[in-house]
Amino acid sequence: MQRRRFGIIKPEIRVLGVDDGIFTPHVESCVPVVGVVFRGGYWLDGVMHTEILVDGFEATEKISTMIKASPHYKQLRIIMLNGITFGGFNVVDIQTLNQLTGLPVIAVTREKPDLPRIRKALKHLPGDEVRWKAILNAGEVFEIETRQKPEKIYLHATGVSLIDAEKIVRLTSTRSNIPEALRVAHLIASGISHL
Amino acid sequence: MQRRRFGIIKPEIRVLGVDDGIFTPHVESCVPVVGVVFRGGYWLDGVMHTEILVDGFEATEKISTMIKASPHYKQLRIIMLNGITFGGFNVVDIQTLNQLTGLPVIAVTREKPDLPRIRKALKHLPGDEVRWKAILNAGEVFEIETRQKPEKIYLHATGVSLIDAEKIVRLTSTRSNIPEALRVAHLIASGISHL
């Protein structure tokens, strides 16, 4: 794990929020994945995109390639994902993503991940053990307080301490309970999806 | 012309910014067009998209259809375009767009449109008279002051008084000299373009 230590976290820290678009479950097709660069929680600085296969295995590699090819790569301090499953069960291995990019990775969800339910769903897919291993690689899930108590959100983190991850999430959650980069990545990915 | 009178302009006025993506000039292909809904100059509320032909004739109709199909349509108070030529010389007729949507339309540019140069360039394209007519339909171009004097920007407007158009442009230009919805529409449309 490449761990990054944050001293003082600047309000203008460059963060990337990544989310996928809309797709028909279990149908072989591509789904857009959008990365949004924010300065802290206020200003959108750039947008990148790639495509992944529904229930494929290449999300980690595609997202890493997208980030490293971006002119914003060198300014980025952290990657935030909307959960760890993209395009259905194309699982992002956050440890591998951390190693490939050299950046800390946080996966944020509003609901607590229901691992027994996920494991059961995976049984219907080829390569379920590979997918399950990537999910376990995300490690422990932490419950954290949002600005608007008593609401909680949940996160996996790698390459960054839980305390720093919490600080960054709260600093950048300006409009809602989740970081603005993730809220906007969701709106863009949904808005550009063809159904 | 469907003119809308604005009384007090609310800081959270819902505006749409529309821009096109990156494309190879004069090559028959599609270019993405992105519409971004902002509350005033701060919060992105939604994203919509369509595609138009490079140097085609359907930009006005496609953009109108995109807007009217959006769940945000009824909240929108004004349409802002990044200029009036999209995908090369696929000209948006702002008067027609105003009639089709019932919304005021402003076209904003950083540089003063060079009409003689545009007319000359049009000569190389089929249907140059149709395109030229749409450009003339945009009417007079106005120079307006930005927040950061002495820089100026230029606009065409229909369905709204120049005074209200200026107020809305300045109110929503929070990060740069152009409305935030247009700055962000540009970043998204560029970021999702395939070249």
Side-chain angles (χ1 to χ4, degrees):
Chain A
M1 182 173 66
Q2 305 201 15
R3 173 159 285 190
R4 186 176 296 238
R5 279 199 159 193
F6 291 88
I8 292 163
I9 295 162
K10 291 185 192 162
E12 299 238 323
I13 182 177
R14 298 305 196 280
V15 301
L16 182 76
V18 182
D19 202 359
D20 57 358
I22 299 163
F23 60 96
T24 310
H26 317 306
V27 173
E28 208 172 286
S29 65
C30 280
V31 53
V33 170
V34 169
V36 179
V37 181
F38 255 79
R39 300 197 190 195
Y42 289 99
W43 305 114
L44 192 152
D45 251 15
V47 174
M48 54 189 86
H49 96 296
T50 187
E51 283 190 337
I52 60 167
L53 292 167
V54 173
D55 296 336
F57 292 91
E58 85 301 24
T60 310
E61 199 193 327
K62 279 294 196 70
I63 292 171
S64 161
T65 304
M66 169 184 84
I67 293 168
K68 291 170 80 175
S70 158
H72 296 277
Y73 177 42
K74 287 193 177 160
Q75 274 73 50
L76 293 176
R77 295 293 165 260
I78 195 159
I79 300 167
M80 299 177 175
L81 307 176
N82 185 358
I84 56 171
T85 54
F86 283 69
F89 287 103
N90 201 332
V91 184
V92 177
D93 184 325
I94 64 171
Q95 292 204 36
T96 304
L97 187 60
N98 168 239
Q99 281 153 18
L100 291 172
T101 61
L103 290 168
V105 182
I106 308 178
V108 179
T109 49
R110 289 180 195 270
E111 305 288 326
K112 190 171 182 176
D114 180 349
L115 290 185
R117 198 189 59 79
I118 294 173
R119 175 134 220 204
K120 204 173 157 199
L122 289 183
K123 299 274 186 210
H124 303 284
L125 290 168
D128 56 316
E129 285 305 323
V130 177
R131 300 180 205 264
W132 183 242
K133 189 168 166 288
I135 288 171
L136 292 183
N137 266 351
E140 200 176 343
V141 60
F142 298 99
E143 184 182 87
I144 68 168
E145 279 189 350
T146 61
R147 287 188 185 192
Q148 290 168 317
K149 297 171 190 173
E151 283 186 63
K152 312 276 188 186
I153 60 169
Y154 300 86
L155 61 82
H156 297 282
T158 187
V160 56
S161 71
L162 182 61
I163 286 173
D164 282 345
E166 278 196 73
K167 276 187 200 161
I168 295 168
V169 167
R170 268 205 290 274
L171 173 76
T172 58
S173 300
T174 44
R175 181 90 181 91
S176 69
N177 282 333
I178 62 165
E180 191 61 2
L182 282 176
R183 189 184 72 84
V184 168
H186 176 76
L187 291 175
I188 297 174
S190 308
I192 66 164
S193 296
H194 303 264
L195 255 196
Chain B
M1 182 174 66
Q2 305 202 16
R3 174 159 285 193
R4 186 178 295 239
R5 280 201 159 188
F6 291 87
I8 293 163
I9 294 163
K10 292 184 193 164
E12 300 239 321
I13 181 178
R14 296 306 194 283
V15 301
L16 182 75
V18 182
D19 201 0
D20 58 357
I22 300 164
F23 60 95
T24 310
H26 316 306
V27 173
E28 207 171 286
S29 64
C30 281
V31 55
V33 171
V34 169
V36 178
V37 181
F38 254 79
R39 298 198 192 194
Y42 288 99
W43 304 114
L44 192 153
D45 251 15
V47 174
M48 56 189 85
H49 96 297
T50 187
E51 283 190 337
I52 60 167
L53 292 166
V54 173
D55 295 336
F57 293 91
E58 85 301 24
T60 309
E61 199 192 328
K62 280 292 196 73
I63 292 170
S64 160
T65 304
M66 169 182 84
I67 293 168
K68 291 170 80 175
S70 158
H72 297 277
Y73 177 42
K74 287 193 176 159
Q75 275 74 52
L76 293 176
R77 294 294 164 261
I78 195 158
I79 299 167
M80 300 177 176
L81 308 176
N82 185 358
I84 56 169
T85 53
F86 282 69
F89 287 104
N90 201 332
V91 185
V92 178
D93 184 324
I94 64 172
Q95 291 205 37
T96 304
L97 187 59
N98 167 241
Q99 282 154 17
L100 291 173
T101 60
L103 289 168
V105 181
I106 308 177
V108 178
T109 49
R110 288 180 197 270
E111 305 289 325
K112 189 171 183 176
D114 180 350
L115 290 184
R117 197 188 60 79
I118 293 173
R119 175 134 220 202
K120 204 172 157 198
L122 288 182
K123 299 274 185 209
H124 303 284
L125 290 168
D128 57 313
E129 286 304 323
V130 178
R131 299 180 207 264
W132 183 243
K133 188 167 168 286
I135 287 170
L136 292 182
N137 266 350
E140 200 175 343
V141 61
F142 299 98
E143 184 181 86
I144 68 168
E145 279 189 349
T146 61
R147 285 188 188 193
Q148 289 166 317
K149 297 171 190 172
E151 285 187 61
K152 313 275 188 185
I153 60 171
Y154 301 86
L155 59 82
H156 298 281
T158 186
V160 57
S161 71
L162 182 61
I163 286 174
D164 282 343
E166 277 196 76
K167 276 188 199 163
I168 295 169
V169 167
R170 269 205 289 274
L171 173 76
T172 58
S173 300
T174 44
R175 181 89 181 92
S176 69
N177 282 334
I178 61 165
E180 191 63 0
L182 281 176
R183 190 185 70 85
V184 168
H186 176 75
L187 291 175
I188 298 174
S190 307
I192 67 164
S193 295
H194 303 264
L195 253 195

